Amino acid sequence: MVQMNDVRMVYGNTEAEALSGVSFTINEGEFVFLVGPSGSGKTTIIKLITGELKPTSGTVHVNGYNLERIRKREIPYLRRTTGVVFQDFRLIPKMSVYDNVAFAMRVIGAKEREIRDRVPYVLELVGLENKAKRLPREMSGGEQQRLAIARALVNNPSTIIADEPTGNLDPARSFEIMSLLQEINNLGTTVLVVTHAKDLVQLFSKRVIVIDDGIIVSDGEGYYDED
């Protein structure tokens, strides 16, 4: 579960608020879109959820962790509960598809037997089971994003945060990626998608949280009007 209650965020010594009294709850197993114009506060929300920032005031709870009080040594454990998918993929160019995913398990100390069992399952889930030996540069943009999703999934997080996951893809590949995220959600994983893709938001008819100038301006099902 992700819960923000009256969160205010001010950077440095400025008086400008990145977030002004933001409150929402994303329950376990939900699929939610977070939308809004550039500079509206979406990135700040992601950084708060992943523990990169602490709020100036208000409370943030993520998967059982209180992020105002979280200790530095607890942050890696928090991040194991949240997988993040980035617009620019952030793959390791010289590693194969298999090793890009396996690396995410190795950094948390997983045993090689666990890696051998888990990685093929996740690659099959995202439709890359036949491309385990490929390098990222040998793949299309859509395939690279599927690989990024596999890496985010491999440690079995309870929550996936996808930050503009279709920003570099054409409409057909964008639909495929969003459909994959929906499939992952159907398996029980909570999914938060940050996006500007108005057509996709309307097509998938999920809960939509709209933020503008650091304030939640609407929170409802299946409609997003950027105007």
Side-chain angles (χ1 to χ4, degrees):
M1 182 180 76
V2 176
Q3 186 176 60
M4 292 192 173
N5 184 33
D6 198 23
V7 170
R8 178 173 171 265
M9 188 70 208
V10 177
Y11 288 102
N13 296 321
T14 66
E15 295 183 1
E17 293 184 326
L19 298 178
S20 305
V22 166
S23 298
F24 63 82
T25 298
I26 299 174
N27 291 313
E28 185 176 348
E30 271 199 281
F31 188 121
V32 179
F33 288 109
L34 175 64
V35 302
S38 298
S40 60
K42 303 187 300 298
T43 298
T44 298
I45 287 175
I46 293 173
K47 289 181 177 181
L48 287 167
I49 292 173
T50 58
E52 189 174 338
L53 296 174
K54 290 188 177 182
T56 304
S57 63
T59 60
V60 181
H61 292 83
V62 178
N63 299 331
Y65 291 91
N66 182 332
L67 298 197
E68 313 91 75
R69 300 177 182 176
I70 193 168
R71 297 176 180 178
K72 188 174 182 179
R73 68 172 183 265
E74 294 178 308
I75 290 177
Y77 297 97
L78 161 72
R79 290 178 179 167
R80 291 182 195 181
T81 74
T82 57
V84 183
V85 180
F86 299 97
Q87 177 179 350
D88 57 358
F89 314 141
R90 301 195 185 180
L91 304 171
I92 302 172
K94 295 183 179 180
M95 283 190 181
S96 68
V97 165
Y98 181 97
D99 286 331
N100 261 279
V101 179
F103 180 77
M105 296 187 70
R106 292 188 177 110
V107 296
I108 67 165
K111 296 179 180 178
E112 286 301 314
R113 185 174 65 181
E114 296 172 326
I115 293 170
R116 288 195 299 269
D117 289 342
R118 178 70 177 169
V119 172
Y121 166 76
V122 174
L123 289 179
E124 183 177 2
L125 184 64
V126 301
L128 295 177
E129 64 272 22
N130 296 322
K131 299 191 177 183
K133 296 182 180 180
R134 295 274 186 94
L135 294 174
R137 67 173 180 268
E138 299 171 327
M139 304 167 71
S140 68
E143 289 171 337
Q144 289 185 56
Q145 191 61 289
R146 285 176 177 269
L147 176 54
I149 291 171
R151 188 181 54 190
L153 277 174
V154 73
N155 289 319
N156 199 28
S158 57
T159 305
I160 290 287
I161 302 168
D163 185 9
E164 297 287 356
T166 63
N168 291 327
L169 304 178
D170 62 46
R173 302 292 84 76
S174 295
F175 181 82
E176 289 179 4
I177 292 300
M178 207 63 73
S179 297
L180 174 59
L181 290 170
Q182 181 170 266
E183 290 175 21
I184 291 165
N185 176 246
N186 291 341
L187 293 173
T189 304
T190 305
V191 175
L192 173 63
V193 178
V194 179
T195 185
H196 286 96
K198 179 179 178 181
D199 292 344
L200 283 175
V201 171
Q202 294 178 341
L203 184 63
F204 279 81
S205 298
K206 302 292 185 180
R207 178 183 169 194
V208 183
I209 298 173
V210 182
I211 187 168
D212 192 6
D213 198 23
I215 299 170
I216 300 296
V217 296
S218 69
D219 183 349
E221 297 291 332
Y223 183 71
Y224 165 40
D225 186 353
E226 62 188 354
D227 298 325

